[in-house]
Amino acid sequence: MSDKPLSVEEQLVKARTLSEALPYMHRFNGQTFVIKYGGHAMGDDELSHLFARDVALMKQVGINPVIVHGGGPQIGNMLDRLKIKSSFVDGLRVTDKETVEIAEMVLSGSLNKKIVTSINEAGGLAIGLSGKDGNLIEAQKLTRTKRDPDSNIERILDLGFVGEPSRINPEILESFEENNLIPVIAPIGVGSNGQTFNINADTAAGHIAAALGATKLIMMTDVEGVLDKNKKLINRLTPAEVRKLQKDGTIAGGMIPKLETCLYALEEGVESATILDGRIPHVLLLETFTEHGVGTMITE
Ligand code: X2W
């Protein structure tokens, strides 16, 4: 912060911004926001610090933020350091026994604690857990099929220990809310025999938002949002419009599973799902407390 005193005009801008936030504070008081914090959005220390402050502020003004984090690039770095090869199928990491151990170590270990620490430093009180704690995310092996273009035969893909949530037990999160704690969740699931499953963080966030009956699902990533054919940001979409853009190929690649998760959450009763650019400083505050919002919001 600079020491230069602010002009009256500059002070007025600050006062207006705070005043503009008031109706949003009223509207969102007591409501749950599930925030997916992607591994790409975590790369920059200054941005991570601002993210933690924004989360602490949300809690302070009466919102119940629930953080579900990713860590794809960070798992990749650790696998590289250990000289373990890794590959992806349709955006999902093929996860053998060794890889699931590393994924759990990185996600529930170093990354989870890093986020918890920075929220605590920002004045919040965060608690880190994985889907194993309190049986939060019960999971089963994900089954995927793919049609072979040459033979046209549908083949079952084996992604190893990649899981999908089969049941969310959100009671533990409700007790954190009563005690003013901010949960920070690593996307690791537990199978019926205690097996560890590596779950895509978007998928985990969508299921948790649905189980909590969250007001908003916010996906923080490293793209602006959904872009139209001319690469211009689309601010608002209905589920029907998302389907149309998927059909005509405007929505492609990594955006497809992200939007599928958003549509799933909406079907399950979440009011809106927003894709936000985590590279913008204070993007969470802009989205929550200003008139215009940022990114792409999907809602009926
Ligand atoms: C992901 C879990 C982390 C994740 C992985 O191993 O990379 C699967 O792909 P981002 O940063 O949100 O991509 N799991 C099954 O989803 O992180």
Side-chain angles (χ1 to χ4, degrees), residues 2 9 47 64 76 81 94 155 160 174 177 220 251 292:
S2 111
E9 286 76 21
L47 286 173
N64 176 37
R81 269 167 68 182
V94 179
R155 285 191 302 136
E174 286 150 15
E177 186 186 356
M220 289 182 64
I251 294 173
H292 305 295

Side-chain angles (χ1 to χ4, degrees), residues 11-142:
Q11 293 195 40
L12 268 176
V13 170
K14 286 199 168 191
R16 263 193 224 110
T17 309
L18 275 171
S19 178
E20 191 187 319
L22 182 62
Y24 297 96
M25 291 181 190
H26 279 305
R27 190 190 320 157
F28 297 134
N29 188 27
Q31 302 191 1
T32 296
F33 289 12
V34 172
I35 301 161
K36 151 67 199 313
Y37 186 36
H40 287 281
M42 283 176 217
D44 179 290
D45 280 349
E46 179 58 20
L47 286 173
S48 308
H49 173 67
L50 295 180
F51 168 79
R53 280 186 69 100
D54 291 357
V55 169
L57 190 147
M58 278 180 153
K59 184 75 178 174
Q60 188 67 40
V61 300
I63 295 171
N64 176 37
V66 173
I67 315 303
V68 180
H69 66 85
Q74 294 79 356
I75 297 170
N77 285 343
M78 183 57 82
L79 290 169
D80 282 349
R81 269 167 68 182
L82 297 169
K83 306 209 176 358
I84 299 170
K85 291 227 177 328
S86 191
S87 63
F88 286 85
V89 172
D90 296 338
L92 298 169
R93 189 187 305 277
V94 179
T95 304
D96 62 11
K97 204 167 174 345
E98 228 179 356
T99 305
V100 78
E101 270 178 33
I102 307 297
E104 183 174 34
M105 271 168 54
V106 172
L107 292 171
S108 335
S110 52
L111 271 184
N112 187 275
K113 299 312 152 207
K114 195 171 168 198
I115 302 165
V116 165
T117 306
S118 60
I119 294 175
N120 290 348
E121 277 176 352
L125 200 52
I127 185 149
L129 67 163
S130 87
K132 286 184 173 177
D133 295 281
N135 268 346
L136 176 63
I137 309 175
E138 288 179 27
Q140 63 197 19
K141 185 177 163 76
L142 178 83

Side-chain angles (χ1 to χ4, degrees), residues 161-193:
F161 297 101
V162 173
E164 60 182 342
S166 52
R167 188 190 156 96
I168 304 286
N169 298 303
E171 299 77 18
I172 188 163
L173 300 182
E174 286 150 15
S175 70
F176 291 153
E177 186 186 356
E178 281 161 23
N179 289 293
N180 261 327
L181 293 163
I182 301 168
V184 176
I185 303 163
I188 292 290
V190 61
S192 54
N193 54 358

